[in-house]
Amino acid sequence: MSAANTTSTFQVAHFVLVCFTGIQSWQHWLSIPLAILFLVAFISNITILTVIQREHTLHEPMYYFLSLLAVFDLGLCMATAPKILGILCLDMKVIDPPACFLQMYLMNILLAMESATFLFMAYDRYIAICKPLRYPSVITARFVAKVIVFIVLRNALLLLPVPVFAARLQYCSRNVVEHCFCTSAAVTSLACNDRTFNTLYQLIVAFGLLGSDLIFIILSYCLILRVVMTFQGKGAAAKAFSTCSSHFILISFFYTVLLVLIFTARYEKVIPHDIPILLNVLHFLVPPVLNPIVYGVRTTEIKRGIRKMIRSRITATQVQ
């Protein structure tokens, strides 16, 4: 194996991503459904962003949060899918250390930013249902701007040490990463020196970010449920639940898969190695597909905007 200059931060010239080690002979067939997921995610999120940008009636805080979610979904897809498809289709397994650590950083911060976006969307629903008279004065465009700055700075700064610490480790012999992309655990497991501090820092930050987000989301929905149960008007409770249903479906899937990933990692000795890898891949591709589709199907205003955009495109085509 070739080695870099001994004065370099990296002792290996590159890493090799082997993806699904148990199904090497036919793993290229997985590229078909994964490519479809990637295309659907890309097109649907671009559609959501375009509709919200074009329709002035959707220039409201709730849809700004949805736009933010679409941007992070696109980022997750672009940070992971091209490399995965390159590995499965073209056997492009080699990745340079700087690119590997950049991918690690992007995946971490985008996942954490998506979690934080779900948190503020839950807060948005809490104010809308529990304190509706205060909603126009609390959830404003200025509030959304502050939220965006908070989400970006919180996650970018707290997660920056993860790839930095990983890059400072010595990779002096092994360079084969048994994963489809550069996760921190998969890469740092190849290090020659002790990685206890890296692992501890990542666990603390993961619980501090994703764990606290989940706790506050659950708290928000508990408060919403308590208020909704007191509604007396006919259909009032059903209407309130309807406004939260899309958000609740998506966060349930997002955090359920995370918990499953933690569970499978804990019992990796009794679970086939490829299963947690596949779940990890799907966790970066399925939510970007589900998020715009669920909101597009269940939100009347977005459906109306999509139909309007399609009709305008058809009309423009006919005129030409």
Side-chain angles (χ1 to χ4, degrees), residues 69-85:
L69 192 64
V71 170
F72 295 150
D73 282 338
L74 286 171
L76 282 172
C77 287
M78 297 306 297
T80 56
K83 186 59 181 177
I84 295 171
L85 295 176

Side-chain angles (χ1 to χ4, degrees), residues 18-27 178 272-275 277:
V18 296
C19 226
F20 303 104
T21 55
I23 56 172
Q24 287 283 308
S25 60
W26 57 273
Q27 68 174 8
E178 295 185 355
H273 182 67
D274 288 339
I275 290 180
I277 293 176

Side-chain angles (χ1 to χ4, degrees), residues 160 163 211 265:
L160 180 60

Side-chain angles (χ1 to χ4, degrees), residues 3-173:
N5 190 296
T6 55
T7 61
S8 174
T9 305
F10 312 107
Q11 285 70 44
V12 296
H14 54 255
F15 292 113
V16 179
L17 299 167
V18 296
C19 226
F20 303 104
T21 55
I23 56 172
Q24 287 283 308
S25 60
W26 57 273
Q27 68 174 8
H28 58 279
W29 290 106
L30 282 175
S31 63
I32 298 174
L34 293 180
I36 293 173
L37 284 175
F38 173 60
L39 288 175
V40 172
F42 186 82
I43 293 171
S44 57
N45 280 287
I46 289 293
T47 300
I48 289 291
L49 287 171
T50 303
V51 169
I52 293 175
Q53 188 273 328
R54 291 180 57 171
E55 292 295 321
H56 294 288
T57 57
L58 300 180
H59 292 180
E60 298 178 1
M62 182 176 72
Y63 299 107
Y64 293 153
F65 285 127
L66 185 54
S67 297
L68 191 62
L69 192 64
V71 170
F72 295 150
D73 282 338
L74 286 171
L76 282 172
C77 287
M78 297 306 297
T80 56
K83 186 59 181 177
I84 295 171
L85 295 176
I87 294 170
L88 298 180
C89 297
L90 305 173
D91 205 34
M92 298 172 59
K93 298 179 179 180
V94 174
I95 183 170
D96 293 333
C100 184
F101 294 116
L102 176 60
Q103 185 188 54
M104 182 189 301
Y105 182 55
L106 290 175
M107 290 189 304
N108 286 336
I109 63 170
L110 289 168
L111 202 63
M113 286 177 181
E114 187 155 326
S115 173
T117 304
F118 280 132
L119 168 62
F120 284 103
M121 291 174 80
Y123 179 72
D124 173 88
R125 293 300 85 199
Y126 163 73
I127 297 296
I129 293 173
C130 301
K131 300 179 180 181
L133 297 179
R134 293 187 57 194
Y135 185 86
S137 61
V138 174
I139 310 298
T140 61
R142 186 176 181 181
F143 171 80
V144 175
K146 290 180 179 179
V147 164
I148 294 173
V149 172
F150 170 77
I151 289 175
V152 172
L153 290 181
R154 183 194 77 161
N155 297 295
L157 294 177
L158 289 178
L159 287 167
L160 180 60
V162 173
V164 171
F165 292 156
R168 291 173 65 86
L169 293 173
Q170 296 179 4
Y171 301 91
C172 51
S173 56

